DNA sequence: CAACATAGTTTCATTATGCAACCACTGGAG
DNA sequence: CTCCAGTGGTTGCATAATGAAACTATGTTG
């Protein structure tokens, strides 16, 4: 097979997430959805992408349980695309990508927006990794362990 | 031109990060690099990807300042690929992707490894978004503001 | 120097992307 | 009901990216 390789059966959770999110458009569609965009035409005009690609991506995101189609909302008979909890769960990923750009982009002056705390209008703090007990962890403070076998329960 | 669209000039920091990281392999290469993989052949055998694609991706990552080539390390005359600070800065992105899979994957039993605090052997806490003053923020507690114009300084 | 390993590049078939054109359905005006 | 613009797609075709395998060029070992 010369198909584009799929990570569907991969045991690495990063590869598995890329299976659903790892193409050029999916995360941008989710970004728009988090902003409240719901309609096909809105996605299309805001992202400036071809309609067939958008159509394929929306279908893929629905298949992966990230979006769901709702029958209506503004009274019209059209449908719209809403984030599921799984879809809203990508928020930290988007924040991490955003903060990485803010920190390391070669031309940060071209970045138009900053993510701020709505209450104070101040930038949000950088994401940090902490242990269960709250200690701040660096990458070197972490390691991978095999997942414990599921305990047989029923 | 029917080229794949580039996000290079886009003002959205998420799009800008996807320009460098948003393909199927780049983040997996970085994942391996964070594990200490440095050599072409090691990447190739561990990821099982075609050598031409690996070659192109490594070049792209070097061009984006995420990897750099170092002349040697084990004495041999070959070169190796090392993460730059910018490359190591992607760690939160990978953690976010991993945690998203752990939380929402449809077949979590297929996930082989968990990320743990090395000192205690316990899973790391989920990434959380906080305000400057430490308040925990939900997506709804945040908003985007236009980046303040650079203050003319010299 | 012969033989083998490493690190790629080249070639070619297959797939995905992107644009434009086309089609189906909706909702409103007449 | 008919016409018609707007919405939400699908289809066709050209081009670009991907992937497997073969090939090349060094480096390394015996």
């Amino acid at each position: 097979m010369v198909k584009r390789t799929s990570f569907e059966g991969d045991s690495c959770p990063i590869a598995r997430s890329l299976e659903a999110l790892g193409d050029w458009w999916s995360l941008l569609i989710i970004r728009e959805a988090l902003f409240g965009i719901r309609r096909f035409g809105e996605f299309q005009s805001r992202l400036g992408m071809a309609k067939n690609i958008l159509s394929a991506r929306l279908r893929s995101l629905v298949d992966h349980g990230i979006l769901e189609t709702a029958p209506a909302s503004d009274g019209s008979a059209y449908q719209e695309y809403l984030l599921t909890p799984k879809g809203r769960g990508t928020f930290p990923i988007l924040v991490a990508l955003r903060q990485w750009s803010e920190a390391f982009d070669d031309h940060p002056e071209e970045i138009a927006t900053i993510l701020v705390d709505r209450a104070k209008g101040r930038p949000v703090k950088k994401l940090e990794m902490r242990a269960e007990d709250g200690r701040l962890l660096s990458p070197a403070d972490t390691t991978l362990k095999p997942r414990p076998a599921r305990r047989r329960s029923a």
Side-chain angles (χ1 to χ4, degrees), chain A:
Chain A
M1 258 194 302
V2 195
K3 272 196 59 172
R4 164 179 262 180
T5 51
S6 160
F7 303 128
E8 200 168 358
D10 199 295
S11 63
C12 168
I14 296 170
R16 294 171 77 85
S17 59
L18 292 176
E19 176 70 20
L21 307 172
D23 69 275
W24 291 85
W25 291 112
S26 293
L27 281 166
L28 295 177
I29 292 171
I30 294 171
R31 177 195 69 179
E32 296 300 326
L34 282 164
F35 272 115
I37 301 305
R38 305 169 162 212
R39 295 284 286 260
F40 186 96
E42 281 184 300
F43 286 111
Q44 205 260 321
S45 62
R46 289 180 59 108
L47 291 170
M49 65 192 294
K51 298 203 291 181
N52 54 348
I53 308 294
L54 175 57
S55 178
R57 286 289 163 273
L58 289 172
R59 194 169 20 242
S60 162
L61 290 169
V62 169
D63 287 347
H64 281 97
I66 292 165
L67 295 176
E68 59 188 355
T69 53
S73 92
D74 62 345
S76 79
Y78 296 112
Q79 70 174 355
E80 53 188 28
Y81 298 89
L82 297 180
L83 285 169
T84 62
K86 183 175 179 176
R88 282 189 295 275
T90 61
F91 193 70
I93 299 171
L94 293 172
V95 173
L97 287 167
R98 168 178 278 275
Q99 291 187 343
W100 183 75
S101 274
E102 290 170 353
F104 296 103
D105 196 289
D106 291 334
H107 297 283
E109 73 279 2
E110 293 176 4
I111 298 176
T113 59
I114 50 178
L115 184 70
V116 300
D117 163 17
R118 188 188 293 274
K120 298 276 183 75
R122 302 287 304 164
V124 304
K125 223 164 48 166
K126 295 206 66 174
L127 293 175
E128 35 191 47
M129 198 170 39
R130 292 188 177 273
E132 269 183 345
D133 56 20
R135 277 174 301 118
L136 188 63
L137 297 174
S138 76
D141 294 325
T142 66
T143 186
L144 289 180
K145 273 189 15 181
R147 196 180 61 83
R150 174 181 279 303
R151 113 188 30 232
R152 56 203 155 71
S153 54

